[in-house]
Amino acid sequence: MKLHRALLLAAIPLACLQLPQPAIATAETPTSQSDQTTENGYHRRWWKEAVVYQIYPRSFQDSNGDGIGDLKGITTRLDYLKKLGINVIWLSPHYDSPNADNGYDIRNYRKVMAEFGTMDDFDALLKAVKQRHMKLVLDLVVNHSSDEHQWFVESRKSKDNPYRDYYIWRPGKDGKATNNWTSFFSGSAWKLDAATGEYYLHYFAEKQPDLNWENPKLRSEVYDLMKFWLDKGVDGFRMDVIPFISKDQSFSDLTTSQLAHPEFKFAMGPRLHEYLQEMNAKVLSKYDVMTVGEAFGVTLDQTPSLVDERRNELNMVFNFSAVRLDQDNGVARHWTIPELKAIYSEQDQKLNNHSWNTIFLSNHDNPRLVSSFGDDSSTFRVPSAKLLATMLFTLKGTPFVYQGDELGMTNYPFKGIDDFDDIQVRNEWNAKVIPGKLSKETFIANISKTGRDNARTPMQWDNSPHAGFTSGDKTWLAVNPNYAEINAAQEAADPNSVYHYYQQMIALRAKTPALIYGDFKDLDPNSATIFAYTRKLGKASYLVVLNFSAMPADYSLPSRIRAGHLVIGNLASHEKGGKTLQLAPWEARVYKQ
Ligand code: ISL
Ligand code: CA
């Protein structure tokens, strides 16, 4: 029966397949589907078929002229996202926060940050998202809270305070911290607190004390706050550094080599799976939601243990291999196309049809997509941004678009340390440049390429002052001066814009099951500049050919491969078809075979 049914299903193009559930997602939010399985064994889910758009609220749209983005501003831009074809919005933290780390330091998990608006504004935003048949996923930051959270205010008061064990306190030894663990924001991961003479753990800023997940009361508090938002109708969570929540209780020193990348020791702690399965059982399993864990420090081999659907932990994770290919611990590095291709092939090989992938090369923690992986020169910014979009929407996994990538927004022309906001940058400046360990020039040159502020400059809506981000006379972070040429209004009016190409690619993916669930195969892993691969599902077969270079390329397809007919391309190509393709610089093509 299974095979017979599969053959039947395969015989009918999905677009007209009258399945009991809605067909593969169109621009309409894919609704939850019962357990329907594709020909190659994937269980269909709305979050596999969706395209997700990440909003960094501080920089998306200001509505009250204070130069800071807010929830009302987001609501005014939902039609823009709907038109783009977005199904799901991931909202970076909107909760009450002193903004030591721009909201990733939460002071009250049930309150909206004053600068972003009120709970009424949130409810209005959620309602407006739903009215447009889109979904809203929040950012769950529960590895740590703000040091201004009431829990920590209590916890630090005394060693026997009822909240003491909501955080991780250790006595020092010989006047020093209990071990040599380091923070990702420079310095020790331990801070001495005068009131009790003990140290508390903070993997990130001193104002971000790590929560103690060993404490069942704390876990229960987290599950309650998750239910608070899910009961409002929120559609899931992106989970901030969730692999870090279980700590090795031996708290033993890291070796020198482990200290080079502590995230690989901090992640996948001894009780992580227990906690995630408990979270799933007590909360997530009761809702039709999507979860994506930020898998900083998780290897590809470890990934299935988090996302295999049979384990009831997370739906997906962000694996860092591709997005951090161009840097190592924040220092820019040379990378090659074969390296990038090898990562995608490895992901495909190690994630079987029970483990779903995410496809992304940017977010609020990384420099701009087209500047990192494309070519942001005036000649090639548009074609390379479109080529990257072609790849994002035709690889296997849920694509995540970071705000502004759909416009081909670029890195910012930083000049000096005062141009930066990011605590990670300011702490590193104080730790390295001030004491003379690194020259200003070297530091600024590098962080300009790899810094997180590149992605946090205000959205460029039009060519009015401040790019239409605010009606006020200032912005919390400078607007990229190229906003006059690169902005949503200009691109909406230009049929050949990056925006319109994203729109076409998103629509193509939404109606093409082979581009969502199809088997992936890299046709030419060794090519230095061409990324050519197929996606096959049943009888449907697509060929994607990407020329990742500023040079034209004649590309001979492997013998058994025929180009077929061109479905979409980022340049008006002189398509001759056949076996040898003549590709212009940064040319991308998708063929139906
Ligand atoms: O790689 C990093 C550390 O060197 C950072 O990009 C980042 O801290 C890491 O990827 C974890 O990111 C998440 O947690 C941080 C927050 O600053 C990031 O914005 C968030 O995405 C602490 O909450
Ligand atoms: Ca505002």
Side-chain angles (χ1 to χ4, degrees), residues 61-71 73 115-117 469-470:
Q61 176 67 66
D62 173 23
S63 72
N64 64 347
D66 67 356
I68 300 169
D70 46 56
L71 299 185
E115 294 171 320
F116 290 166
F469 166 72
T470 181

Side-chain angles (χ1 to χ4, degrees), residues 376-395:
D376 62 7
S377 68
S378 54
T379 315
F380 295 125
R381 181 183 63 82
V382 171
S384 71
K386 291 178 178 179
L387 177 140
L388 290 164
T390 310
M391 186 179 81
L392 283 178
F393 296 113
T394 58
L395 285 175

